[in-house]
Amino acid sequence: MKDDEKQLVEAIAEMREEEALGLAKAMLARGEDPVRVLELCREAMDIVGKRFERQEYFLPELVLAGEMLENIGAIAKPLIQERSGGEAKKLGRVLIGTVHGDLHDIGKNIVTFMLDINGFEVRDIGIDVPVAKFVEEVRGFAPQVVGLSGFLTLAFDSMKETVQAIEAAGLREGRKIMIGGGQVDEAVRAYTGADAFGGNAVAAVSLCRQWIAA
Ligand code: B12
């Protein structure tokens, strides 16, 4: 990792908000890849999360970390959009939301944004989405892909319930379900019955490309 990259990760992890924003702005102004800058923010979030687990940090730090990431994201996103060459043709429909009981949406928002600039028509139905709402939206919007996001362990049960409800409503056929969020891995994928999981927004885009092109 380069020096300025380390500094950015550290500034976020140490809650030095102004310094973090200044560093991120300077890196982007120098032409650093905005996707890389978001990746560094994610690394910093892992440190914050671990300190929270060890009770070195508390809720205010989690909130501030979330705000820092959103502020940096707001500067990075238009640059990513510029690089992608602006609005592309809509390739297919993707419905996405954070499952019930879970309020984390920063990761989901990045996925929504990346799918959008890569040419998908994305409907983001927000956070803490009840199972019945997912079913209703799948019926109405008829997406080829449904994305379930969740960061809490308890979200895995919500994801499983949501997948089962979509299936029980007879809406699983002909569409794919992907899941993602902090701790999600293959074991969680198997538990929830989803078709695949994606570790980051780029993986979410490749899954949709793969499925919708097929
Ligand atoms: C910021 C944050 C918050 C913020 C959220 C702000 C917001 N608007 O989202 C606030 C302060 C609100 C918050 C609250 C809580 N949080 Co919190 N939070 C975090 C933190 C530090 C970062 C999460 C984040 O945004 N990461 C950044 C993004 C970019 O992460 P990412 O995983 O790289 O995202 C990518 C992938 O996940 C993927 N992806 C995401 N969604 C999807 C969907 C699909 C379909 C696909 C394919 C891919 C995909 O693509 C993303 C982009 O590349 C994490 C720690 C951590 N390391 O994750 C804890 C963490 C998730 N929180 C935690 C906890 C415990 C809580 C609280 C319960 C705390 C409390 N006592 O109140 C509450 C829960 C509230 C609720 N009901 O949801 C725990 C969860 C533990 C667990 N196993 O359940 C964590 C892990 C911290 C910890 N280590 O203890 N939190």
Side-chain angles (χ1 to χ4, degrees), residues 16-33:
R16 297 197 297 265
E17 188 177 11
E18 272 177 34
E19 184 188 334
L21 196 60
L23 281 166
K25 275 187 185 158
M27 286 167 80
L28 292 168
R30 267 203 313 277
E32 177 96 47
D33 182 355

Side-chain angles (χ1 to χ4, degrees), residues 35 110-111 114 199-207 209:
V35 175
I110 297 176
V111 173
M114 290 297 280
N200 55 46
V202 174
V205 172
S206 10
L207 283 172
R209 281 218 181 100

Side-chain angles (χ1 to χ4, degrees), residues 7 17 19 56 63 67 89 91 108 118 128 133 180:
Q7 278 169 17
E17 188 177 11
E19 184 188 334
E56 294 163 16
V63 174
E67 279 171 15
K89 199 165 131 268
L91 297 176
K108 167 185 68 62
N118 278 285
D128 192 15
K133 173 80 174 164

Side-chain angles (χ1 to χ4, degrees), residues 1 23 36 39 49 75 87-88 115 139 167 172 187 191:
M1 206 189 275
L23 281 166
R36 172 75 186 143
E39 168 63 21
I75 309 169
E87 194 68 5
L115 286 169
R139 192 171 278 125
E167 214 160 273
R172 180 80 187 261
Y191 176 73

Side-chain angles (χ1 to χ4, degrees), residues 42 45-46 49 52-53 62 101 103-106 111 149 153 181 199 201:
R42 197 202 51 74
M45 290 296 150
D46 285 345
F52 178 76
E53 264 172 28
L62 279 192
L103 307 175
H104 293 85
D105 67 355
I106 300 173
V111 173
S149 184
T153 311

